[in-house]
Amino acid sequence: MTATTQQITTFCILGCILARPHRTTSPPEESDGRPWSPPTGIHRIRGGSRCHHPQHRRSPRSMARNTTLLLLLVLKLFMAVLLAAWACIWIIRPTQSWKRSWHVGEDRASATFVGDYGLTVVVYCLPVLAVATLGYISLHIAAKKDALRMRRPLMPAFTNPLIVSSPVGVLSAAELLAAAFFIVFLAWTYYSNVSSDFKKMTPYQSLKLNRWQLKMMHLGVRIGSLSEACLLLLFLPILRGMAVFRILGVQYEASVRYHIWIGNTMILLSALHGISIMFIWATKNRLFKEARRVNIAGAIALATGVIIWITSLPQVRRKQFQLFFSAHHLYIVFILFFLIHAGDRHFYLVFAGVLLFALDKILRIIQSRKQTFLVSASILPCRAVKLTLPKLPCMDYTPTSIIFIKVPGISKFQWHPFSITSSSNMDDSELSVLIKCHGQWTTDLYNMLNSMTDAGSDHPKSIPVAVEGPYGPATVEHLRYRSLVLIAGGSGISPLMSILQDIASRNGGMERSPTKVHLIYAVKKVQDLSMLALISPLLLTHSAELGNLHLKLFVTEEDGPPFTAEKMLQDLSRVKTITMNKASPEGTAVPTPEGLLWKAAMTALSLLLFLASLIILTHLFVHQEKKSSKKKNPSWIGDLLLLCSFAIAASCCTVATVLSRWRKSVDDSPELSYKHHELAEMLPDKVQGALQKHEIYFGCRPNLGDMLAEIATGTGDSEVGVFVSGPTSMQKAVASFCTRHNKRLKTDERKLKCSFNVHFITFSL
């Protein structure tokens, strides 16, 4: 044996000796008090390699988690590539090189069974629908792993507030960047199209337009073409069950304002388009002579869009919700006449958004057609009610989720969104919502329930309700932080209740859960604090489960008596509760929405059915005529074939969903269980210690900047999650301080120890 071989052997033997635990005459004990036992396993020396300790081997759970992360990464990369390719197509679409290549591609596709219409569908619709399908699959995979749902964002600087005071509210860097990109895209598209038109401008012999009138006509036509991009994106932010914005971590009620921005832009562009064209006709005294089918359809679509826009203004929507709700259903008329005006080839460009919205609407109608009944209702002194609904144990939802509720006894058509205040981890059989009187519908509901208490019946007949949802975020944001700051104003406390109950139900069982929670709650009147009655037992006796809760209450418009916060919480726990008659029909639990995998399958199936139907119908009714005659078919034929193909795809998806729900109801035959999560009781001394942390102030507003600065100084965490659910002024105050604080953190890291990540929870839809 050579010297080198001896050295290698000696090092390997020493390594095995050092890796082996030392045994003593009295074996040591582990930190939990259990007797120590050596690890099992065989240590082998092969070819001089180092010994592999069993603890160094990857566990099956770790390998499965890594595989899941790799799969999610592949899906996200594929979605990013598809989106980038689709965006590039829209960017180069107005260029002459693309137009020439596109005409060549259409000619080649016309010679195949797919046709030029099929090429348009594949190029402009397939990427969007493919991203939606892959996104639903990725959300399903992440939802199965709590650790993946709690992963921290890669770039929190893009989601934190950047601009506090703006006409559209608080803006983050990501929102500002996306808006700037969209505006530049519209400007580029308009410039490219107009410059191309001016270079090859030819006069209209029928209108006898001079040069400036001809330029005005081209300018007006190209303004109208910009509305196509707006219409494509218009429906994506308001998808509920099939919300594609969840892939980006944006919740439904937060994305509604994107729908408002895009809608305002589309109506502005459409109005400029219509006014400019009609102005040219008026100058030639041909305003009524040009009343052809396409032009009349455009005028009807524009008038319908203006009506929807006017009734959507905050001044009208908040006072006349029924008018706003009814007028918004004119979107069907708008889409139909847009198709007739623009033609089927232009409608294919925006068809992906329309199809997703139609599928979302179908799934919502199927879920909500089965009514449920109230289990109980609590009436609070602040003219608010808590509704408790039965649910199946399999229905899980994340905190800050919302549901849409319709009470046929009040209105057969109105749906209103409300935040869920309960936690699916704490209660398997029930979910609850808190409703504050703000309008006619909520006032009618309050009066209906209040009349039941006046009647004096112990178990009145239950009220039938219809439910959509729940719709919630894909990630559990609050579990990403060790320190939480929850700030609420008025009825904005509702979504924060679900966060508090979720934290308490976990009892610190997660690897990463909040250990410090600060709740700052501001109301106008003392009686408004009665909304805390829903979680007063939690606040009084279970502050330890809530991560050492610090509660600060502010009553801004009243000077109250000098009593403590715990005394007020104990008084507020007395509310009037109505227990409904349980002799209601069986199977009345809130219907569970369709799963993410089913939504992915329906998205892919609908596109395949639509394309197949379009190809078959075109070959049956159009293809033979094109071969025998060079004359073009009327445009209404293409529009009709598109509508028929869309109806076939939507009908098949509807039938498949109904049959799937019927099969599940027969096979599963679920029975409602009534298991409640019981929190551990605290000792009296711990209760008293927890109550001393609660404070109440009268006649003043919370100085959010000073309180956040105090929290930043006292915490030892590098990041603090701030969740704000309140009026715009409260959101701006928090955003202003956190923006200044995070900017100072970049210049002086030694003095400032933590950064604030702000999450806004909006509830005014």
Side-chain angles (χ1 to χ4, degrees), residues 483-721:
S483 296
L484 278 183
V485 181
L486 309 179
I487 304 174
S491 57
I493 191 65
S494 299
L496 302 188
M497 289 181 181
S498 62
I499 294 179
L500 292 174
Q501 297 203 57
D502 182 73
I503 297 174
S505 64
R506 297 178 185 271
N507 288 323
M510 305 297 296
E511 293 182 1
R512 184 179 180 88
S513 59
T515 57
K516 299 177 184 177
V517 180
H518 302 266
L519 176 58
I520 303 171
Y521 183 40
V523 296
K524 294 181 179 180
K525 306 292 183 181
V526 174
Q527 63 179 7
D528 293 336
L529 291 175
S530 60
M531 284 185 281
L532 290 176
L534 306 184
I535 56 171
S536 59
L538 204 64
L539 300 177
L540 286 170
T541 60
H542 298 287
S543 293
E545 286 85 351
L546 292 174
N548 297 320
L549 175 68
H550 298 260
L551 174 62
K552 291 187 178 181
L553 306 176
F554 291 84
V555 181
T556 59
E557 296 183 0
E558 287 186 1
D559 295 329
F563 50 80
T564 60
E566 56 267 24
K567 177 63 168 60
M568 173 167 289
L569 291 175
Q570 292 171 354
D571 294 339
L572 293 178
S573 61
R574 306 183 184 94
V575 297
K576 293 189 294 184
T577 301
I578 308 171
T579 303
M580 302 297 177
N581 187 4
K582 294 185 179 180
S584 57
E586 295 182 0
T588 57
V590 173
T592 305
E594 305 300 328
L596 290 168
L597 290 181
W598 182 262
K599 295 171 184 176
M602 287 297 99
T603 303
L605 178 63
S606 62
L607 177 61
L608 294 176
L609 289 174
F610 172 78
L611 189 57
S613 302
L614 186 62
I615 293 173
I616 294 174
L617 293 177
T618 303
H619 279 264
L620 288 176
F621 298 102
V622 177
H623 188 66
Q624 297 299 328
E625 295 181 6
K626 282 188 176 182
K627 282 186 175 182
S628 60
S629 175
K630 295 183 179 180
K631 186 178 179 180
K632 292 184 178 180
N633 293 284
S635 60
W636 63 266
I637 295 180
D639 301 343
L640 186 60
L641 294 179
L642 188 151
L643 291 175
C644 292
S645 303
F646 173 74
I648 292 173
S651 301
C652 292
C653 292
T654 302
V655 172
T657 304
V658 171
L659 292 178
S660 174
R661 295 185 72 92
W662 175 80
R663 182 179 179 182
K664 288 181 180 179
S665 63
V666 173
D667 294 344
D668 298 342
S669 61
E671 297 182 359
L672 296 180
S673 64
Y674 295 92
K675 297 180 181 180
H676 300 271
H677 180 85
E678 298 293 341
L679 294 173
E681 294 294 336
M682 295 182 64
L683 297 176
D685 55 344
K686 292 185 178 180
V687 173
Q688 186 63 28
L691 295 178
Q692 292 176 356
K693 299 177 182 178
H694 302 331
E695 305 172 11
I696 184 169
Y697 302 91
F698 290 92
C700 63
R701 296 180 179 273
N703 192 330
L704 298 175
D706 291 346
M707 284 187 285
L708 290 174
E710 182 181 354
I711 293 172
T713 305
T715 185
D717 299 309
S718 59
E719 289 183 333
V720 175

Side-chain angles (χ1 to χ4, degrees), residues 363-383:
L363 296 182
R364 285 159 44 194
I365 292 175
I366 293 175
Q367 181 198 1
S368 61
R369 66 190 178 94
K370 183 179 180 181
Q371 293 184 352
T372 184
F373 293 83
L374 293 180
V375 175
S376 64
S378 301
I379 301 178
L380 308 179
C382 61
R383 292 182 60 81

Side-chain angles (χ1 to χ4, degrees), residues 179-237:
F181 176 80
F182 187 67
I183 293 174
V184 171
F185 162 74
L186 293 179
W188 154 253
T189 303
Y190 186 69
Y191 169 77
S192 299
N193 285 327
V194 169
S195 61
S196 176
D197 291 343
F198 284 0
K199 289 179 182 178
K200 56 180 183 179
M201 189 167 51
T202 57
Y204 289 113
Q205 298 296 333
S206 59
L207 291 178
K208 298 180 180 180
L209 301 177
N210 56 33
R211 190 170 183 81
W212 78 266
Q213 291 172 338
L214 191 58
K215 287 185 176 181
M216 187 72 177
M217 178 69 73
H218 283 291
L219 291 174
V221 171
R222 291 306 181 182
I223 288 178
S225 64
L226 296 180
S227 61
E228 294 175 352
C230 297
L231 184 57
L232 168 63
L233 302 176
L234 182 66
F235 294 103
L236 299 183

